[in-house]
């Protein structure tokens, strides 16, 4: 049985709400991603991922897994971890446990160890000859700032984890009589009109990821085409991002009050002018193919 105990990353200290809802700051996200890259490189794939109930720990787990190239959809909350106790673990399995540094330190002491537990630090424990041993303490500040590309042992170093550079977008449409209308949404800055686009989440294919983006960024659901309308590239994070673009016939519009990103504007426009309004010109020819 191997146990990986990961201290949740640095929190946002300006947060004035409940401690359990305190989010990660940018530094904390980076710490988690660097640990994820280390896990991916060493092929330490966890069979089970458990976190305490606080938001900071859950997001740390998700960022870590994605940076390693693994799905983050199997993260489970553990009441035992929330209480500072070690959950029941299966023999022969690898378990990733994510919890706040203070709680992690207390848990390590219960196991007979007393190393410094700080935000973002990973402890690798393993059972040897019937005894739990501390194999290694990994501090993200000692890890490379660049992430391997295109794989966990890739030769190239990039500013962001490898999965950031594979993206998908969706063009939501509906038929109204003889006309096709496109749903466009405001960008996060509010300065441009865009269609839903985002990073392909590890564990999802580009079409499924595009469907998630449509629900979150445009508040719509529907049927995504099996094949992309096309692809385009753009420069970001010091390298080239490739975007696969899918059409989605909208079947349901989520009401504004239930829409996750209702701070954005959204509106239906005729397909003939949608390409002219969108900030990214590559969408124009693809809209014509719908």
């Amino acid at each position: 049985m191997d146990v990986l105990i990961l201290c949740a990353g640095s929190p946002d200290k300006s947060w004035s709400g409940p401690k359990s809802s305190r989010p990660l700051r940018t530094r904390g996200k980076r710490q988690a991603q660097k640990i994820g890259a280390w896990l991916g490189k060493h092929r330490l794939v966890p069979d089970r991922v458990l976190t305490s109930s606080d938001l900071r720990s859950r997001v740390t787990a998700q960022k870590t897994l994605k940076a390693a190239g693994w799905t983050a959809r199997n993260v489970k909350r553990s009441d035992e971890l929330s209480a500072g106790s070690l959950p029941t673990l299966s023999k022969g399995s690898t378990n990733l446990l994510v919890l706040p540094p203070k709680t992690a330190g207390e848990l390590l002491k219960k196991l007979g160890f007393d190393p410094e537990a700080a935000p973002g630090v990973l402890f690798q424990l393993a059972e040897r000859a019937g005894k739990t041993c501390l194999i290694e303490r990994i501090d993200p500040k000692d890890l490379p700032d660049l992430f391997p590309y295109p794989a966990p042992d890739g030769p190239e170093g990039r500013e962001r984890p490898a999965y950031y550079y594979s993206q998908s977008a969706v063009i939501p449409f509906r038929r109204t009589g003889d006309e096709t209308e496109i749903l466009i949404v405001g960008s996060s800055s509010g300065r441009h009109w865009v269609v839903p686009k985002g990073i392909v989440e590890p564990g999802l294919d580009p079409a499924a990821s595009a469907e998630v983006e449509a629900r979150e960024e445009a508040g719509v659901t529907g049927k995504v085409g099996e094949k992309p309308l096309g692809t385009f590239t753009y420069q970001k994070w010091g390298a080239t991002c490739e975007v696969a673009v899918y059409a989605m016939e909208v079947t349901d519009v989520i009401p504004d009050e239930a829409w996750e990103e209702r701070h954005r504007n959204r509106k239906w426009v005729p397909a003939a002018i949608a390409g002219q309004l969108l900030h990214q010109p590559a969408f124009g020819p693809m809209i014509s193919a719908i």
Side-chain angles (χ1 to χ4, degrees), residues 56-103:
R56 175 185 169 194
S57 294
R58 294 198 304 276
V59 175
T60 294
Q62 292 164 356
K63 294 288 183 182
T64 299
L65 293 169
K66 290 179 182 181
W70 308 322
T71 181
R73 294 179 172 263
N74 298 325
V75 174
K76 304 295 183 184
R77 192 182 74 175
S78 166
D79 292 335
E80 291 94 339
L81 277 184
S82 300
S85 300
L86 186 69
T88 301
L89 305 175
S90 303
K91 289 187 177 182
S93 63
T94 299
N95 302 269
L96 175 61
L97 312 179
V98 187
L99 59 168
K102 182 179 179 180
T103 312

Side-chain angles (χ1 to χ4, degrees), residues 164-167 232-237 239-243:
Y164 272 55
Y165 301 91
S166 176
Q167 302 180 14
F232 69 92
T233 60
Y234 71 103
Q235 298 297 308
K236 193 172 183 178
W237 302 308
T240 300
C241 298
E242 182 169 322
V243 186

Side-chain angles (χ1 to χ4, degrees), residues 62-237:
Q62 292 164 356
K63 294 288 183 182
T64 299
L65 293 169
K66 290 179 182 181
W70 308 322
T71 181
R73 294 179 172 263
N74 298 325
V75 174
K76 304 295 183 184
R77 192 182 74 175
S78 166
D79 292 335
E80 291 94 339
L81 277 184
S82 300
S85 300
L86 186 69
T88 301
L89 305 175
S90 303
K91 289 187 177 182
S93 63
T94 299
N95 302 269
L96 175 61
L97 312 179
V98 187
L99 59 168
K102 182 179 179 180
T103 312
E106 293 169 353
L107 182 57
L108 287 163
K109 287 180 181 178
K110 290 179 182 178
L111 294 172
F113 308 105
D114 193 18
E116 180 188 1
V121 169
L122 175 75
F123 298 92
Q124 182 184 4
L125 286 72
E127 192 171 309
R128 299 286 188 267
K131 182 180 178 181
T132 301
C133 303
L134 177 59
I135 305 299
E136 199 162 4
R137 177 187 185 275
I138 307 299
D139 193 321
K141 73 175 184 292
D142 299 325
L143 298 176
D145 289 327
L146 296 180
F147 296 89
Y149 184 88
D153 55 356
E156 184 182 342
R158 290 195 173 183
E159 294 178 11
R160 294 291 189 275
Y163 78 98
Y164 272 55
Y165 301 91
S166 176
Q167 302 180 14
S168 62
V170 63
I171 300 176
F173 73 93
R174 69 182 180 187
R175 310 291 188 194
T176 56
D178 295 331
E179 188 175 51
T180 298
E181 291 185 326
I182 306 298
L183 182 65
I184 59 177
V185 298
S187 63
S188 57
S189 67
R191 294 195 298 266
H192 310 292
W193 288 109
V194 299
V195 294
K197 177 178 73 68
I199 297 165
V200 175
E201 182 179 331
L204 294 180
D205 61 39
S209 190
E211 186 175 359
V212 172
E213 294 297 331
R215 184 175 64 251
E216 293 179 351
E217 294 191 0
V220 292
T221 60
K223 183 178 180 181
V224 176
E226 294 182 3
K227 296 182 179 180
L229 295 168
T231 62
F232 69 92
T233 60
Y234 71 103
Q235 298 297 308
K236 193 172 183 178
W237 302 308

Side-chain angles (χ1 to χ4, degrees), residues 8-12 23-29 31 56 60 119-120:
S10 299
D12 182 353
L24 281 182
R25 61 189 294 191
T26 300
R27 179 183 176 188
K29 295 174 183 178
Q31 290 168 335
R56 175 185 169 194
T60 294

